[in-house]
Amino acid sequence: MVEYSKWKNIEISDDEDDTHPNIDTASLFRWRHQARVERMAEMDHEKDEFKKKRQSYQARLMDVKERISKKDGDEEALKKELEKIEADGKELDRIESEMIKKEKKTPWNVDTISKPGFEKTVINKKAGRKADENLSEEEREQRMRQFVKENEKLCKQYGMLRKYDDSKRFLQEHLHLVGEETANYLVIWSINLEMEEKHELMAHVAHQCICMQYILELAKQLDVDPRACVSSFFSKIQHCQPEYRAQFDSEIEGFKGRIQKRAQEKIQEAIAQAEEEERKERLGPGGLDPADVFESLPDELKACFESRDVELLQKTIAAMPVDVAKLHMKRCVDSGLWVPNAADLEGDKKEEDDSGDVAGGEEKTDDAKSESAAKEEPIYTGVSTEDVD
């Protein structure tokens, strides 16, 4: 048999044809309808509030269980907190059961008596994530260079924004910036700012960089194009729970620490490279560093080079064993501390200058001769007292 009892209790606001003569029928129907709409709105509000409580309960329960498994904190306190949360869960189950009973006892009305039998809903599917292109390192680097060349100004504008609403609006207007290239550029910019000791600006750019990385991570989890996650991320970060916000702030602090460490490494690398280039510039014709060679010389030879006394140098070399003297002088020549036959080379140059003057019919005066003597190349080239002190 067909059960018809459920049709006996149906609430319809205008189901009475005859009413008391002193009652305005139209007003009565409107009042009944308004009362029914208000009751339904109140029930919907209770359902929404219950749903929020249920979500909060589940989040707290997962957090406490995770902390207990990781042994993060006082175990006894965590267990007591877990018992309290589970008690709250039982209370929520009781409230849910009462709400279901109350809903079943509620009379049907024109809004709940039936549902559409035929309905078609068309939903635009979000664009999927682009497959990772099989690019070589050179091709990736070239693409990054091209992106920076075309969008560096826009990337810096985004990096300087401070409000979430402004960042959201800017990225929605320039969706091509939502990608790995922008995140990589902001990382490099943050390192450069830290190297320039612009710490506050670095911290702000780092915050914008983490926002971009969170958008990319959200797109990866949902398997959608990152451009479709801009609005979702900024809405979530502005109305997030404390746990999510704490995780976001922790990620920013960790990122800033990595930026500071990398900046110090790059500074040390730059100093080492500059020192190495300076050392190469000092190398003599034999590939030896004159400063290192000078420090390795005996004290008596050091005194000769410091005083630039050739006669003293000859006497010191003569007093040394032949093998030792040859070794030291060879190293001095290879480093440029000593230039062999420098006087002869200078004399040949002077004769050529004199011949040129005679051929030109000009005579050198005493002032010209003294000037020529002043231009003589010193015997010790490539090193000075200031260099070796």
Side-chain angles (χ1 to χ4, degrees):
M1 292 181 64
V2 180
E3 178 63 40
Y4 291 102
S5 60
K6 63 181 180 180
W7 300 97
K8 294 181 179 179
N9 190 18
I10 299 177
E11 180 182 13
I12 302 177
S13 57
D14 55 354
D15 59 347
E16 296 183 12
D17 295 332
D18 297 326
T19 58
H20 193 277
N22 295 335
I23 297 177
D24 181 28
T25 305
S27 299
L28 175 64
F29 291 164
R30 284 197 301 272
W31 174 81
R32 287 178 177 176
H33 177 76
Q34 182 65 27
R36 176 173 59 80
V37 170
E38 290 177 356
R39 287 198 303 270
M40 291 180 63
E42 184 178 354
M43 290 181 64
D44 292 339
H45 179 69
E46 291 178 358
K47 290 179 182 179
D48 293 339
E49 291 296 324
F50 178 80
K51 186 177 179 181
K52 292 179 181 179
K53 291 180 180 179
R54 176 69 75 179
Q55 291 176 346
S56 175
Y57 157 74
Q58 292 175 349
R60 290 187 296 127
L61 183 64
M62 291 177 60
D63 179 59
V64 172
K65 287 184 177 180
E66 183 177 358
R67 288 164 61 189
I68 291 175
S69 62
K70 294 181 179 180
K71 297 181 179 180
D72 182 12
D74 187 4
E75 187 173 357
E76 292 297 328
L78 290 175
K79 287 184 178 179
K80 290 182 180 180
E81 186 176 354
L82 179 62
E83 292 176 358
K84 182 180 178 182
I85 294 174
E86 289 176 345
D88 294 341
K90 292 180 180 178
E91 179 65 18
L92 289 175
D93 293 338
R94 185 187 66 78
I95 295 174
E96 184 178 16
S97 177
E98 291 180 356
M99 290 177 62
I100 293 174
K101 291 179 182 179
K102 182 178 178 182
E103 187 174 1
K104 286 183 178 179
K105 293 179 180 180
T106 303
W108 285 1
N109 56 58
V110 69
D111 295 321
T112 60
I113 198 170
S114 64
K115 296 181 180 179
F118 301 95
E119 182 178 355
K120 181 179 180 181
T121 304
V122 178
I123 301 176
N124 293 329
K125 187 177 179 181
K126 294 181 179 180
R129 299 178 68 242
K130 295 181 180 179
D132 294 335
E133 302 178 13
N134 297 323
L135 300 178
S136 63
E137 289 299 326
E138 295 182 358
E139 291 173 336
R140 291 179 184 275
E141 185 176 353
Q142 179 62 28
R143 187 171 69 175
M144 182 64 186
R145 283 204 194 100
Q146 185 65 23
F147 176 84
V148 172
K149 181 179 179 181
E150 296 175 354
N151 303 287
E152 183 174 13
K153 184 177 179 180
L154 292 175
C155 289
K156 287 190 173 182
Q157 289 180 9
Y158 166 73
M160 298 298 290
L161 296 176
R162 295 190 174 275
K163 295 182 179 179
Y164 286 123
D165 291 335
D166 294 340
S167 299
K168 175 182 176 181
R169 189 181 307 108
F170 185 83
L171 289 179
Q172 287 177 335
E173 293 174 357
H174 305 87
L175 288 174
H176 64 283
L177 296 181
V178 184
E180 292 285 348
E181 291 81 4
T182 301
N184 294 337
Y185 176 83
L186 294 176
V187 171
I188 297 172
W189 189 21
S190 299
I191 294 174
N192 293 337
L193 290 173
E194 180 64 23
M195 293 176 65
E196 296 170 3
E197 299 185 353
K198 298 178 180 178
H199 307 298
E200 292 185 3
L201 185 56
M202 181 278 292
H204 180 68
V205 175
H207 174 273
Q208 294 296 89
C209 181
I210 292 299
C211 288
M212 181 61 67
Q213 291 181 354
Y214 261 63
I215 293 173
L216 298 176
E217 184 62 26
L218 181 62
K220 185 177 180 181
Q221 292 176 359
L222 300 178
D223 193 25
V224 296
D225 192 291
R227 293 171 293 182
C229 298
V230 174
S231 179
S232 301
F233 166 74
F234 285 107
S235 298
K236 184 175 182 180
I237 197 64
Q238 288 179 286
H239 306 91
C240 64
Q241 295 185 356
E243 295 83 1
Y244 186 85
R245 184 70 192 193
Q247 180 184 359
F248 181 77
D249 293 339
S250 175
E251 186 66 29
I252 292 176
E253 293 301 321
F255 180 72
K256 289 193 292 187
R258 295 191 293 273
I259 289 295
Q260 292 168 354
K261 181 180 178 182
R262 181 54 184 155
Q264 289 298 322
E265 291 176 354
K266 288 182 69 68
I267 290 173
Q268 295 300 325
E269 291 174 1
I271 292 174
Q273 183 178 0
E275 291 177 349
E276 180 64 19
E277 291 178 355
E278 184 180 353
R279 189 189 69 82
K280 288 181 179 179
E281 291 177 357
R282 292 199 309 262
L283 296 181
L288 297 181
D289 188 345
D292 295 340
V293 172
F294 182 83
E295 291 298 328
S296 66
L297 293 176
D299 293 338
E300 54 271 22
L301 282 180
K302 285 184 181 179
C304 297
F305 282 101
E306 287 177 345
S307 63
R308 297 175 177 263
D309 191 336
V310 179
E311 191 174 338
L312 178 59
L313 177 62
Q314 292 173 347
K315 292 179 180 179
T316 304
I317 291 295
M320 287 184 173
V322 177
D323 295 340
V324 176
K326 285 184 177 180
L327 174 63
H328 286 307
M329 291 309 297
K330 183 178 184 306
R331 297 183 75 243
C332 289
V333 172
D334 290 342
S335 66
L337 282 176
W338 175 263
V339 180
N341 302 323
D344 295 341
L345 293 173
E346 187 64 27
D348 293 342
K349 183 178 179 181
K350 183 178 179 181
E351 290 178 1
E352 291 176 1
D353 294 341
D354 292 341
S355 299
D357 291 342
V358 172
E362 297 179 357
E363 270 187 2
K364 285 190 176 181
T365 63
D366 292 338
D367 293 339
K369 290 179 181 180
S370 61
E371 183 180 352
S372 176
K375 292 182 180 179
E376 289 184 0
E377 184 180 351
I379 295 177
Y380 311 110
T381 60
V383 68
S384 66
T385 305
E386 291 76 17
D387 294 329
V388 298
D389 282 347

